[in-house]
Amino acid sequence: MDSDPESNTSGSLLDEQDDFYNESGSDLEVDEDQNGDDEDEDKKELEQNWSQTFTRHKFFSKGGVAIQTVLIGIFSRYALPYKWSWIQSILFGSILSATDPVAVVALLHDNGCNHLLTQLIDSESFLNDGVAFIIFSIFSRLLTVQQQQQVNVKDICIEIVKTTIGM
């Protein structure tokens, strides 16, 4: 078999790739060792930048989910034919704003992507789900209060504080 891929006119692309891997078999072992080193470097980088990474996740999770919840709430209030109140619309928005990137994370794991990237997406997903759950719990309690009396900004702030301290 001709080892020069350019002169191999009768073989297919797969034959050319086989020739390349057969010629550079020792390089594959080096790549595996480098892969292990990359994972160690990723772990060290994650440990060193944990506070910065976590701060970024908190900002984007809270802000992103809150903005998405409000936008879906506005859309559902004005575009859907249900004549929902603001609290019902925001409650609906909190349900839809919780994103779950299971398929993306599964693809990242299957394709052997950077461990740090996979871990960042996993952790942001957990934070997004938590923020969406808290928004849902606040507005579901407000919905029960709204059925008994008029809800104002003060009531919303009180519910947020109660949820924050665990009441």
Side-chain angles (χ1 to χ4, degrees):
M1 189 170 228
D2 195 6
S3 64
D4 185 16
E6 291 178 4
S7 65
N8 188 0
T9 56
S10 64
S12 68
L13 181 60
L14 293 175
D15 292 337
E16 292 175 10
Q17 289 176 346
D18 287 342
D19 289 342
F20 172 76
Y21 288 123
N22 288 337
E23 289 175 359
S24 60
S26 62
D27 290 343
L28 292 175
E29 294 172 11
V30 173
D31 288 343
E32 289 174 5
D33 292 339
Q34 289 174 351
N35 236 358
D37 292 340
D38 289 343
E39 288 180 16
D40 291 339
E41 290 174 13
D42 288 345
K43 288 178 184 178
K44 288 177 186 176
E45 182 180 346
L46 182 63
E47 290 170 1
Q48 290 172 352
N49 298 325
W50 173 249
S51 63
Q52 179 184 6
T53 302
F54 189 68
T55 303
R56 246 184 285 148
H57 281 309
K58 286 191 308 187
F59 173 74
F60 287 120
S61 292
K62 290 177 184 175
V65 171
I67 290 170
Q68 188 173 353
T69 298
V70 170
L71 290 175
I72 293 171
I74 291 170
F75 175 80
S76 65
R77 170 110 167 128
Y78 292 114
L80 298 178
Y82 301 118
K83 306 288 187 226
W84 285 336
S85 68
W86 277 110
I87 292 180
Q88 290 170 322
S89 299
I90 297 295
L91 188 64
F92 180 70
S94 70
I95 293 169
L96 294 184
S97 67
T99 58
D100 195 18
V102 171
V104 173
V105 172
L107 282 173
L108 291 174
H109 284 290
D110 290 345
N111 292 326
C113 288
N114 188 340
H115 179 67
L116 181 62
L117 176 65
T118 305
Q119 195 169 21
L120 289 174
I121 292 173
D122 277 337
S123 61
E124 188 164 359
S125 172
F126 289 132
L127 289 173
N128 285 346
D129 292 346
V131 170
F133 177 75
I134 289 172
I135 292 172
F136 177 82
S137 65
I138 289 170
F139 281 94
S140 64
R141 281 189 277 176
L142 286 173
L143 186 61
T144 58
V145 170
Q146 181 189 28
Q147 293 170 352
Q148 299 167 358
Q149 65 184 12
Q150 186 65 26
V151 176
N152 55 25
V153 175
K154 177 184 168 189
D155 294 330
I156 294 172
C157 292
I158 289 171
E159 286 299 318
I160 290 172
V161 169
K162 282 182 179 179
T163 303
T164 302
I165 61 174
M167 294 180 75

